[in-house]
Amino acid sequence: ELHPTTFSTPLPAAMTAHTDSPVTGTTQMFNVKDHIMAAEEKQNWMSTTVQSREGHEKILRYDLKKMVQWTAVATLFCKGTCVTLDCKAFINAFIMLLMGIFICIVLLLASSYNDHDYLKHLDTEPLKDLAWQINALVPFCLALYLSLSLTRWWAIRDQGLGKVFDALTSVSMLVSCELNEEKWHGVRNQIAKFGMASVELIVQAARNRSNLGLLVDMDCLKLEEAEALGRLHMPWERPIICWAWILRICMSAMDYAKTPAPRTAMVMRECLVAKEGMTTMNMYLDTQLPFGYVHLMTLLVNLQNMVMTLKAGILFAQAYALGNTNLMIQQCVSCMVIVLLYQGILQISYVIADPFGDDIINFPIRGYMNYIAAVVDATFEAQGECPVVAENGKLHRPY
């Protein structure tokens, strides 16, 4: 195990593999193996979920085949659907229903003096034309808005979080292959610790929740390192500093090991890729879609819902006066279904706008970290049994 004075430049922390936790008061040992399946996966009927550190369930994966076979109607009340995700869609649909009932009652009472003769001869074609015109516009505009929201959501996962994950596994593989001797164990371990800490700090920055004591408890940070990060007021600085530490550790260790410059440059490039991923996430989270555009889309859906409700209430009252039961049922069903679907789309759009939130369809970070820890551990474990190339070009098993 290396002492920091071994390096040509001073490091931000000692290379020891243990720490005294100020939270639990116990001596903990960091081992990347402990982070493999650290978050227990719970198998449900339709999906597999993991719990966040705050105890919120997150969908890690779902069974697409089962959903198609059982249909979306049968799986309507499964975890993560627009029905179970948030009650706001149901509340808004219920309000629209009450409005329709109110309109219907008012019309029936107003026309009751002449046996609903006014309703029976009421011309509803202009109202139907208005509803048709709005219904023709809303799907196109809402589809574009939802497409933009999903594109941003995937960019955060792929170009942001994905780059950080790729950089961590790539740096771990490059360093473990180049610095494979036992004396470099502390270096490899420290890279894994800072890498895991950076992911936790990204989540904390995205949620604007600071909990450096948790990282000390996990032995991903030492108390001195946590105090240094705690002095920074901008949460997004903290994960970037972790990667700056990783880069400095790698450069110092590789310089000491006389690693050829091109190999060191590969590690430097991966650390810069991780930095780009973090800045990309901050860019998407802090640069929302224009407020006026989002407000217009929401207004368009709300107007469509109100026109749909108005039409349903008037046509229901007219159908009641004419004794047309089929039309009454059709208006009730169409009003509730269409309003609920449009409200559900709006609901999903604001949930995925912040994928680091506490909703069940947000990123299951702990589930991702199970796999990342397994990859990092695999790169470390691969060195012990890797065939050794002799000077004459022959391979032999390590002793």
Side-chain angles (χ1 to χ4, degrees):
E1 184 176 292
L2 281 179
H3 192 273
T5 56
T6 308
F7 295 95
S8 57
T9 56
L11 297 177
M15 296 299 232
T16 54
H18 67 275
T19 183
D20 288 332
S21 168
V23 180
T24 62
T26 59
T27 301
Q28 298 184 352
M29 199 68 127
F30 177 86
N31 190 339
V32 72
K33 293 182 183 296
D34 296 334
H35 294 269
I36 302 174
M37 300 307 295
E40 182 181 354
E41 297 182 4
K42 180 181 177 183
Q43 185 64 48
N44 303 302
W45 177 60
M46 182 58 60
S47 60
T48 302
T49 61
V50 295
Q51 279 196 340
S52 67
R53 298 205 179 277
E54 293 78 19
H56 302 286
E57 267 193 306
K58 305 289 186 72
I59 293 179
L60 180 62
R61 66 184 71 90
Y62 59 89
D63 193 334
L64 178 59
K65 179 180 178 181
K66 186 179 292 184
M67 183 173 66
V68 173
Q69 289 178 340
W70 284 85
T71 74
V73 177
T75 59
L76 193 61
F77 292 95
C78 290
K79 296 178 179 179
T81 66
C82 65
V83 174
T84 60
L85 188 61
D86 194 337
C87 64
K88 293 295 188 299
F90 266 117
I91 293 175
N92 291 335
F94 183 69
I95 292 174
M96 291 295 109
L97 178 62
L98 292 180
M99 287 178 58
I101 293 173
F102 176 76
I103 293 170
C104 178
I105 292 175
V106 169
L107 287 174
L108 289 174
L109 291 176
S111 61
S112 61
Y113 68 94
N114 61 352
D115 196 24
H116 306 301
D117 187 61
Y118 171 77
L119 279 177
K120 293 176 182 179
H121 299 90
L122 179 64
D123 184 12
T124 58
E125 288 304 317
L127 183 59
K128 292 179 181 178
D129 290 341
L130 175 63
W132 181 85
Q133 291 169 358
I134 294 179
N135 286 333
L137 179 64
V138 171
F140 172 76
C141 296
L142 199 58
L144 178 60
Y145 168 65
L146 187 61
S147 175
L148 287 173
S149 300
L150 287 171
T151 300
R152 291 167 60 87
W153 174 83
W154 180 246
I156 294 174
R157 175 61 182 90
D158 180 40
Q159 301 172 27
L161 204 56
K163 282 187 176 181
V164 176
F165 288 158
D166 289 343
L168 176 56
T169 54
S170 297
V171 169
S172 298
M173 177 172 285
L174 290 169
V175 171
S176 61
C177 290
E178 180 65 27
L179 308 176
N180 54 71
E181 297 172 314
E182 180 60 27
K183 68 176 183 178
W184 300 109
H185 170 76
V187 175
R188 299 192 297 268
N189 207 42
Q190 191 67 48
I191 291 170
K193 291 168 68 172
F194 283 154
M196 303 286 281
S198 71
V199 177
E200 294 289 342
L201 289 170
I202 287 171
V203 177
Q204 292 182 16
R207 301 301 298 144
N208 199 23
R209 299 172 182 170
S210 180
N211 189 1
L212 295 173
L214 170 67
L215 298 178
V216 176
D217 252 0
M218 294 168 59
D219 195 22
C220 290
L221 293 177
K222 288 183 167 300
L223 182 58
E224 297 82 1
E225 296 161 353
E227 290 175 348
L229 294 178
R231 289 192 291 268
L232 302 172
H233 299 292
M234 180 70 70
W236 282 102
E237 291 181 278
R238 296 168 182 174
I240 293 178
I241 284 180
C242 284
W243 277 95
W245 287 348
I246 290 174
L247 178 56
R248 188 173 177 183
I249 289 171
C250 293
M251 291 175 62
S252 299
M254 288 181 162
D255 286 347
Y256 183 83
K258 296 180 174 57
T259 300
R263 299 182 188 175
T264 305
M266 293 177 66
V267 175
M268 294 172 62
R269 184 169 59 250
E270 292 297 333
C271 292
L272 293 176
V273 166
K275 187 269 299 178
E276 291 174 3
M278 289 180 282
T279 55
T280 297
M281 284 184 279
N282 177 258
M283 176 188 69
Y284 276 108
L285 292 175
D286 283 355
T287 309
Q288 299 171 287
L289 291 172
F291 175 77
Y293 172 71
V294 177
H295 182 270
L296 182 61
M297 292 300 102
T298 307
L299 178 62
L300 188 60
V301 171
N302 292 336
L303 285 176
Q304 188 277 339
N305 289 171
M306 287 189 286
V307 171
M308 188 76 184
T309 302
L310 176 64
K311 179 177 77 73
I314 293 175
L315 291 182
F316 187 95
Q318 187 178 56
Y320 178 83
L322 295 172
N324 190 341
T325 306
N326 291 335
L327 181 59
M328 294 164 60
I329 296 174
Q330 184 266 336
Q331 287 301 310
C332 288
V333 173
S334 63
C335 181
M336 284 300 299
V337 170
I338 293 175
V339 170
L340 186 60
L341 287 178
Y342 281 158
Q343 290 295 328
I345 292 174
L346 283 182
Q347 171 185 274
I348 290 175
S349 71
Y350 74 70
V351 171
I352 64 177
D354 180 15
F356 293 97
D358 297 328
D359 293 292
I360 193 169
I361 63 172
N362 290 142
F363 291 156
I365 299 296
R366 295 190 69 198
Y368 297 155
M369 291 307 298
N370 286 348
Y371 173 72
I372 299 303
V375 175
V376 172
D377 182 62
T379 62
F380 292 168
E381 291 295 325
Q383 310 311 315
E385 300 300 325
C386 180
V388 178
V389 182
E391 191 174 353
N392 60 6
K394 293 184 179 181
L395 298 174
H396 62 86
R397 302 303 303 174
Y399 296 109

